[in-house]
Amino acid sequence: MSIQKYSLFTILLYIIAFFSPIFATTSQASTTTTTVSYLLGAVLMILLYSNQVTKLTFENDHSSLVSVLFWGIVGIFLAIFLQTLIMQVEQFFGVPIESQNTQNIIRLVLQQPLFALAAMVGGPIMEEFVFRRALIGIFDSYSLTWLGIIISSLIFAFIHQDGHLLLYFSLGFFFSLLY
């Protein structure tokens, strides 16, 4: 399967999972639908990726398991540092530190504990496949990897819809570089 087809299917799965809760009739059904659709979307994206034989240009480097684990662990701390730094910059420019998106997710997790699976497992897995591989992959096939990283980071920032555009753009850009 070509990178373009893979990317299209991955993005389509994300859109379906993201918008499936609008068909639920109650808020209880909506959180259940979100949880199921996010987990199912993540599983389907993993399967789609595992059947993908075409690699992106920067995926051809075979990193050792130790290197991957090192950058995975160090990446967590670097992301926290970056988030703290960017939040200070945003606060300097008058952006409130609170995130309405995060507050809504916390409220839903407290009301429906199983929703944590959507927020902490399904959603992040889908985001990585969409924003780090599918969107960048579209541009990578035309040797425009950096443009793909920038556009992917911008879309990542806008999709979070809570006014922290610089924060989410920076994190999206960092995660793309880490990938």
Side-chain angles (χ1 to χ4, degrees):
M1 176 185 310
S2 72
I3 291 294
Q4 283 80 13
K5 284 183 183 176
Y6 163 83
S7 296
L8 178 67
F9 286 136
T10 301
I11 293 166
L12 185 62
L13 272 172
Y14 182 74
I15 291 169
I16 291 169
F18 190 80
F19 287 110
S20 64
I22 65 172
F23 298 108
T25 55
T26 65
S27 63
Q28 168 87 19
S30 178
T31 55
T32 302
T33 302
T34 301
T35 303
V36 170
S37 65
Y38 278 30
L39 292 174
L40 183 59
V43 167
L44 291 173
M45 285 184 194
I46 291 169
L47 291 173
L48 191 61
Y49 174 74
S50 66
N51 290 321
Q52 177 66 28
V53 293
T54 307
K55 301 289 184 192
L56 303 180
T57 57
F58 55 87
E59 289 179 326
N60 292 330
D61 180 32
H62 298 287
S63 300
S64 70
L65 179 60
V66 172
S67 175
V68 170
L69 289 174
F70 172 80
W71 284 109
I73 292 167
V74 169
I76 293 168
F77 293 103
L78 289 174
I80 292 169
F81 175 75
L82 177 64
Q83 180 176 354
T84 303
L85 181 68
I86 298 300
M87 288 179 81
Q88 294 299 316
V89 171
E90 285 185 340
Q91 194 174 18
F92 177 78
F93 287 107
V95 177
I97 206 161
E98 298 83 23
S99 164
Q100 189 59 49
N101 185 38
T102 302
Q103 295 303 318
N104 290 342
I105 290 170
I106 290 170
R107 181 180 47 77
L108 286 171
V109 168
L110 291 174
Q111 292 172 354
Q112 301 287 325
L114 283 178
F115 184 74
L117 292 173
M120 294 185 281
V121 178
I125 289 172
M126 289 193 308
E127 284 181 351
E128 291 308 306
F129 280 115
V130 170
F131 296 106
R132 263 37 96 199
R133 189 154 201 289
L135 286 173
I136 294 172
I138 291 169
F139 291 91
D140 184 68
S141 60
Y142 297 105
S143 299
L144 299 169
T145 306
W146 285 104
L147 181 61
I149 289 171
I150 291 167
I151 290 174
S152 170
S153 300
L154 280 171
I155 295 171
F156 181 72
F158 282 112
I159 203 96
H160 283 86
Q161 324 168 26
D162 73 351
H164 291 278
L165 293 177
L166 181 61
L167 173 64
Y168 285 112
F169 175 82
S170 300
L171 287 173
F173 195 86
F174 171 73
F175 293 146
S176 295
L177 293 178
L178 195 58
Y179 176 62

